[in-house]
Amino acid sequence: MSEQSRWNLRLNRRDFVKVTGSGLLAAATPVLSTYAGGANEQPKFGGHLKVASISSSTADTLDPGKGSLSTDYMRHHMLYNGLFRFSETLEALPELAQNYETNDNQNWTISLRRGIQFHNGKPLTADDVVYSLLRHKDSSYGSKVAVVAAQFEQVRKVDQHTVSVTLREANPDLPIMLATSHFCIVTTNPGDAKNGVGTGPFVLEEFAPGIRTVVKKNKNYWKPNAPYLDSIELIGISDESARVNALLSGDIHMMLAVNPRSISRVTAEGRHRIHETQSGLYSNLIMRKDLYPTQNPDFILGMKYLTDRTLIQRALFRGHATIANDHPVPPFHKYYANDLPIREFDLDKAKFHFKKSGALGGRFPIFCSPAAEGSVDMASLLQLRASEIGLNLAVNRVPSDGYWSNHWMKHPLGFGNINPRPSIDLLFSIFFKSDAPWNESGWNSPKFDQLLQAARYEVNEHVRKQMYTDMQTLIHEECGIGIPVFINMIDGLDTRVKGLKSIPVGGLMGYQFAEHVWWDSEA
């Protein structure tokens, strides 16, 4: 499950007809970043930034292992470091790790950087790393990545600056797993994680859950000349229009998640710009394999042929999305199945499969919510198309509050909203493996499970890619998941904010902007 939608797109039935019939689809063109700066800019020191995310609540946490919202992830990247960090191409680069080695992808040795201190002056040691990783296996702790940490067979200290990690089975993606914010390194004192004591670029100044977080520059930060800013204030504004208003009025300097419909307004006066990142974020149609009528493979195929992904990309997301193919791997990923043809919208094929399933002429509810980004509009479009071939889909729009606990994965037809994951193995393990905790459609494929496990052991890159291609094909053909598009992430910022790049695991540089951006008051 992802956090709630970044924005609520509204396109009613009349809008669909209007867009479809007027030829306006061709006019929808993606607007990429309006940033004209580049690598030659010299960072400047000093300044205070106020940043708005999309959510904040009394459940906000300083503990990286318990983070669940974008605001948490940003806060944790300000205060902590991980053993690894993501590059712009989602490679895992050593961070607190000096280097690492493995001969079999199962037994890993990680050497730590020396001379690094936590905010309270405590030196970083192997004990801290062992504690930071093993606490995720403690059921009483309540880690958000316990299912991932279950892969740890053993984590032990070799010496003061070396740690050995043994996995239950081989997995070449261990550095990628450890680059997520949940695995940031804390001290062996549990109280320190509750107070935001890390090795990160900023030190906690104020934390008021549901209200704001204020951090100031860590003057003893271990990276030379970083960070650039003196301080940052982080708040949450759930309403997208209110976030845009705050940005345009100067109350904030950066915001997460600009609605495509707001881009022209944000950029109109030239004092603000947008920063757009292609991503693996998607809202998907869930068709439960264990409920009627979606337990019938022909009904599922009918729904997939009923999905007009081109219209969804151009009309719902105004071009700020990439066509998907009913599996969760985006086209820009190195393991994307290039030879798998895109499933085209086809009413005749949809009707054929609905008739074969015995569902034609029936009436079936489809649940949607603003909580699942774009799902209300997608449900309306499916309803419209279905009516053209004699299938009655009843759209049930439910409130965002309680959607994930009361409706997600509970109905034959509903929607999910899945944030990008840094590796395919992680994505498949969490959402598609037969015993996955969030196996949204209840899909059970022993063949898929075997391929997933075999890919972890495979060291031949060509063979591994073919395995992932075969898994994408299985999802595309058999799984009860329909994915029409991947949604671009759009940030809004004051033109005086410099240095922001793209890391496609989340907005605002994969939530890691704090260490990298600077304020240019003369721009």
Side-chain angles (χ1 to χ4, degrees), residues 230-242:
D230 286 338
S231 57
I232 300 173
E233 180 177 354
L234 177 65
I235 61 175
I237 303 177
S238 58
D239 182 75
E240 192 266 349
S241 295

Side-chain angles (χ1 to χ4, degrees), residues 54-74:
I54 59 176
S55 53
S56 185
S57 75
T58 54
D60 288 352
T61 178
L62 293 171
D63 190 333
K66 296 186 177 181
S68 59
L69 300 174
S70 57
T71 314
D72 291 328
Y73 306 150
M74 293 183 200

Side-chain angles (χ1 to χ4, degrees), residues 331-375:
F332 45 83
H333 197 286
K334 66 177 182 179
Y335 291 138
Y336 178 72
N338 293 299
D339 296 333
L340 185 62
I342 297 288
R343 178 175 281 119
E344 302 288 347
F345 165 67
D346 192 320
L347 275 181
D348 291 335
K349 288 184 179 178
K351 185 176 182 178
F352 168 80
H353 286 289
F354 285 130
K355 185 176 182 180
K356 190 177 176 183
S357 72
L360 209 58
R363 183 178 188 275
F364 306 97
I366 180 169
F367 286 80
C368 57
S369 168
E373 185 175 334
S375 68

